[in-house]
């Protein structure tokens, strides 16, 4: 813009009108209907309410109605509350450093009124008659006496009707409704002493009793797949206290929306807290997986600054490094105690330790049956060796594992299984001697032949610790020669050019299963069920089903009657067994994946063979053949490498034969 144009458009400096001031403030405070709901609920809680009722229509854009039994306001106070920077929560500047209330800026009510039609009705405690004020776009259009028994009622209608540009930034009604629901839920967790009810479109979504604890409120809103795997946290360090719950590493989500943080009771979004929790789970989760947690951090009020942003969802810590350390230590302590509990339970049932205990527990905790674990194209095709003995091993391992106690609402899991087709042992020493032999590979003959040696190498002298492993060449042109299994987890391949490769059996099977899910999902083939399958629904699952029903139908599911508490399944995708179809729906309805590809990846991980699982030669060869015929085979669906290989030059560098 040129200087001449600037001169033409220049206005004298002047004080903006109250209406314009409020609309500018609304741009910071009132981002969407959920922001309005949050501000009004916080006002009710600050006013000493012990009962709170919220009604939402059309995603909050049509109506937000909040009623409480708080202290109420006199007629003069109602008019003052509609004036910017008028509040009862601060008296002087010194109190700004020790704020204990949710609100304190005095901007919410006038800002909301400037972009909506608002009606406030309130009666002060001890008064005989209430009073109401009705506004449109920030201007008072009516006022007078109101018949009320207690508290305050605020009705917001036609939100953003006078600022149509703001309406364009709103998402669909379904999305905005969910955001309002989440805002209500987050505040409900911080005040379990308050009775709260949320009604959306005439349907009661939440009804929280007063006096509930955190887990009880979470159970009302989160599906059992999440709440059954929460660990209690109660940690104090450096004068800071952390309480709440966090999930086990086996219960993960594809999004971070179930990681909730509170500082001195205030819901906040903070990167330091998020990073601390992620760091505590480091090595336990993949990079794109998130745990669930609800953490309450209590710090001295002089150690934080809540006056950072008008929306009051951000705070600034005096000592960020200490906060990071305290949060990380609190979560790590809970995870380590859980690991010790698992080890104790495993010892109690005669189970040996496993490097892959997390993967094995994940399958058990999800309630996936043995048939579901190996119902893929790899294990179900005619003549596949994996269809038999691998399933037997898995059945036996699942039958002896039960989920450790998680507190209220935890369910145990027991599988029927076929007996192992392996020798029986009279004592652990005999069992250890045989299984230890299987962990070694006899590579001596090939070493002698390839390296030009005429005498047995040192490996041959092991005798009792070495078993002969037959060599098999894979049919694929680049498949190489299968040498054996290392550490019951990695399959060893040797290529014609001398390259040596290790294949992660779990990651390889994941990729095979993912490809099968993907192909079947794109076709949308359905297998009708002779007897419909009844699936009980948690309220949160019922709401989500209404949103994703069309997508599930495209995948090959078909449904009969649907109510708030149950769902009738009349058909499942052709690739899935009945048990796996049920597990698939459970995962989708508990939001363990944010899109269908992540759902396939998650189910592939649950269904794939595990590390530390013995594979016979024909089983390993069948897996490798399937894997070699799969596109994008060098990485599992989560992005981890499936194959690691070394050429001759790499080996020479490892042994320092060359620089």
């Amino acid at each position: 813009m040129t200087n001449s144009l600037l001169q033409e458009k220049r206005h004298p400096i002047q004080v903006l009108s109250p209406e314009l001031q409020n609309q500018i403030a609304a741009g910071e405070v009132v981002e969407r209907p959920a922001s309005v709901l949050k501000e009004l609920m916080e006002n009710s809680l600050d006013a000493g309410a012990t009962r709170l009722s919220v009604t939402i229509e059309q995603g909050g854009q049509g109506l937000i109605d909040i009623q409480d039994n708080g202290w109420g306001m006199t007629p003069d106070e109602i008019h003052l509350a509609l004036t910017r920077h008028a509040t009862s929560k601060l008296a002087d500047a010194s109190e700004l450093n020790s704020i204990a209330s949710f609100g304190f800026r005095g901007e919410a009510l006038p800002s909301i009124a400037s972009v909506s039609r608002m009606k406030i009705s309130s009666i002060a405690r001890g008064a005989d008659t209430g009073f109401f004020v009705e506004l449109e776009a920030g201007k008072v259009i009516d006022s007078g006496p109101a018949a009320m028994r207690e508290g305050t009622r605020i009705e917001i209608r036609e939100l953003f009707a006078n600022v149509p540009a703001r309406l364009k930034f709103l998402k669909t009604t379904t999305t905005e409704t969910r955001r309002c629901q989440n805002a209500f839920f987050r505040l409900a967790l911080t005040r379990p002493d308050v009775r709260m009810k949320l009604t959306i479109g005439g349907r009661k979504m939440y009804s929280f009793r007063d006096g509930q604890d955190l887990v009880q409120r979470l159970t009302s809103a989160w599906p059992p797949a999440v709440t059954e795997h929460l660990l209690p946290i109660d940690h104090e360090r450096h004068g800071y206290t952390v309480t709440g719950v966090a999930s086990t590493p086996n219960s993960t989500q594809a999004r971070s929306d179930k990681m909730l943080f509170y500082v001195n009771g205030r819901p906040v979004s903070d990167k330091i807290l998020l990073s601390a929790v992620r760091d505590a789970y480091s090595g336990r989760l993949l990079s794109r997986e998130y745990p669930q947690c609800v953490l309450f951090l209590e710090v001295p009020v002089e150690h934080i600054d809540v006056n950072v942003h008008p929306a009051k969802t951000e705070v600034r810590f005096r000592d960020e490094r200490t906060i990071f350390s305290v949060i990380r230590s609190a979560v790590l302590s809970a995870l380590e105690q859980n690991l010790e509990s698992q080890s104790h339970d495993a010892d109690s049932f005669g189970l040996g330790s496993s490097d892959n205990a997390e993967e094995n527990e994940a399958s058990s905790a999800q309630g996936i049956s043995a048939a579901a674990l190996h119902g893929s194209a790899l294990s179900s095709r005619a003549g596949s060796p994996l269809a038999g003995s691998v399933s037997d091993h898995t059945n036996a391992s699942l039958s002896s594992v039960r989920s450790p106690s998680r507190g209220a609402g935890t369910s145990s899991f027991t599988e029927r299984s076929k007996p192992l087709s392996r020798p029986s042992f009279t004592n652990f020493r005999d069992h250890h001697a045989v299984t230890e032999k299987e962990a070694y590979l006899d590579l001596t003959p090939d070493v002698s032949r390839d390296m030009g040696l005429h005498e047995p190498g040192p490996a041959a002298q092991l005798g009792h610790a070495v078993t002969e492993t037959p060599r098999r060449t894979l049919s694929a042109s680049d498949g190489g020669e299968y040498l054996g299994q290392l550490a019951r987890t990695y399959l060893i391949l040797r290529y014609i050019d001398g390259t040596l490769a290790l294949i992660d059996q779990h990651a390889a099977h994941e990729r095979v299963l993912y490809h099968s899910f993907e192909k079947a999902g794109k076709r949308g083939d359905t297998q009708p069920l002779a007897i419909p399958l009844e699936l009980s629904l948690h309220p949160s699952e019922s709401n989500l089903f209404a949103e994703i029903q069309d997508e599930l139908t495209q995948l090959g599911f078909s449904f009969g009657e649907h109510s708030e508490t149950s769902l009738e399944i009349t058909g499942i995708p052709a690739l899935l067994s009945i048990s796996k179809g049920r597990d698939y729906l459970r995962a989708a309805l508990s939001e363990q994946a944010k899109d269908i590809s992540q759902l396939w990846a998650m189910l592939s991980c649950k269904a794939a063979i595990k590390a530390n699982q013995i594979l016979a030669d024909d089983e390993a060869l069948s897996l490798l053949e399937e894997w070699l015929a799969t596109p994008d085979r060098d990485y599992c669906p989560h992005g981890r490498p499936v194959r690691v290989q070394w050429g001759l030059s790499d080996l020479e560098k490892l042994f320092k034969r060359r620089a």
Side-chain angles (χ1 to χ4, degrees), residues 170-230:
L170 296 183
K171 303 299 183 181
T172 63
T173 298
T174 300
T175 299
E176 296 298 340
T177 297
R178 178 178 290 190
R179 286 174 171 169
C180 288
Q181 189 173 336
N182 290 340
F184 177 93
F185 178 63
R186 290 202 68 174
L187 281 169
L189 293 183
T190 194
R191 291 295 303 272
D193 59 315
V194 178
R195 184 184 304 176
M196 298 188 186
K197 182 177 69 173
L198 173 64
T199 303
I200 297 178
R203 178 183 174 190
K204 184 170 68 176
M205 299 300 299
Y206 293 136
S207 182
F208 297 127
R209 304 187 312 274
D210 52 325
Q212 290 180 312
D213 59 26
L214 175 62
V215 173
Q216 288 173 325
R217 291 214 163 173
L218 286 174
T219 303
S220 301
W222 286 359
V226 174
T227 56
E228 288 178 358
H229 306 287
L230 295 177

Side-chain angles (χ1 to χ4, degrees), residues 471-612:
R471 273 68 178 172
R472 294 285 298 277
T473 302
L474 297 167
S475 60
S477 59
D478 61 343
E481 183 181 10
Y482 173 62
L483 301 181
Q485 187 184 30
L486 175 66
R488 306 178 184 180
T489 300
Y490 306 103
L491 308 180
I492 306 176
L493 287 179
R494 182 180 58 190
Y495 297 98
I496 297 175
D497 62 359
T499 300
L500 189 67
L502 293 182
I503 310 297
D504 184 327
Q505 64 190 36
H506 173 73
H509 197 194
E510 267 192 284
R511 172 51 67 182
V512 171
L513 291 173
Y514 181 87
H515 182 58
S516 300
F517 281 125
E518 189 177 38
K519 287 195 302 183
K522 289 179 178 178
R523 290 197 305 267
D525 297 336
T526 302
Q527 54 171 318
L529 300 179
I531 301 176
L533 182 65
E534 186 86 6
L535 190 70
S536 61
L537 295 179
H538 186 273
S540 63
E541 295 173 328
S542 179
N543 297 333
L544 184 58
F545 173 74
E547 298 178 23
I548 66 174
Q549 181 176 359
D550 292 341
E551 186 176 21
L552 292 173
T553 302
Q554 292 175 6
L555 290 175
F557 286 97
S558 59
F559 305 98
E561 296 182 0
H562 165 230
S563 68
E564 293 185 8
T565 58
S566 65
L567 174 64
E568 185 181 67
I569 307 169
T570 57
I572 60 175
L575 180 67
L576 304 181
S577 64
I578 294 178
S579 60
K580 188 173 290 185
R582 183 192 299 111
D583 296 329
Y584 193 109
L585 282 175
R586 280 294 183 203
L589 296 176
S590 60
E591 295 187 282
Q592 295 183 31
K594 64 182 180 182
D595 56 39
I596 201 63
S597 62
Q598 289 196 0
L599 193 57
W600 288 332
M602 182 201 64
L603 291 176
S604 299
C605 181
K606 304 300 182 188
I609 57 176
K610 307 304 177 188
N612 200 32

Side-chain angles (χ1 to χ4, degrees), residues 229 248-251 283-284 335-336 338-347 351-366 397-398 400-404 406 487-489 506 605-606 608-613:
H229 306 287
T248 65
N250 310 310
S251 176
R284 294 175 169 87
L335 294 176
E336 289 169 359
N338 175 61
L339 192 59
E340 292 175 3
S341 174
Q342 288 180 352
S343 300
H344 176 74
D345 289 347
D347 292 341
L351 297 175
S353 63
S354 168
D355 291 337
N356 202 52
E358 292 180 2
E359 286 181 348
N360 293 334
E361 186 193 342
S363 299
S364 174
Q366 288 294 334
S397 65
L398 286 177
S400 60
V401 178
R402 70 180 187 181
S403 299
R406 306 289 188 219
R488 306 178 184 180
T489 300
H506 173 73
C605 181
K606 304 300 182 188
I609 57 176
K610 307 304 177 188
N612 200 32
Q613 184 170 326

Side-chain angles (χ1 to χ4, degrees), residues 89 111 224 231 268 273 334 341 426 435 464 509 514 554 585 629 651:
K89 299 158 192 177
S111 298
L231 307 173
V268 300
L273 305 182
S341 174
T426 57
T435 53
H464 67 280
H509 197 194
Y514 181 87
Q554 292 175 6
L585 282 175
L651 294 174

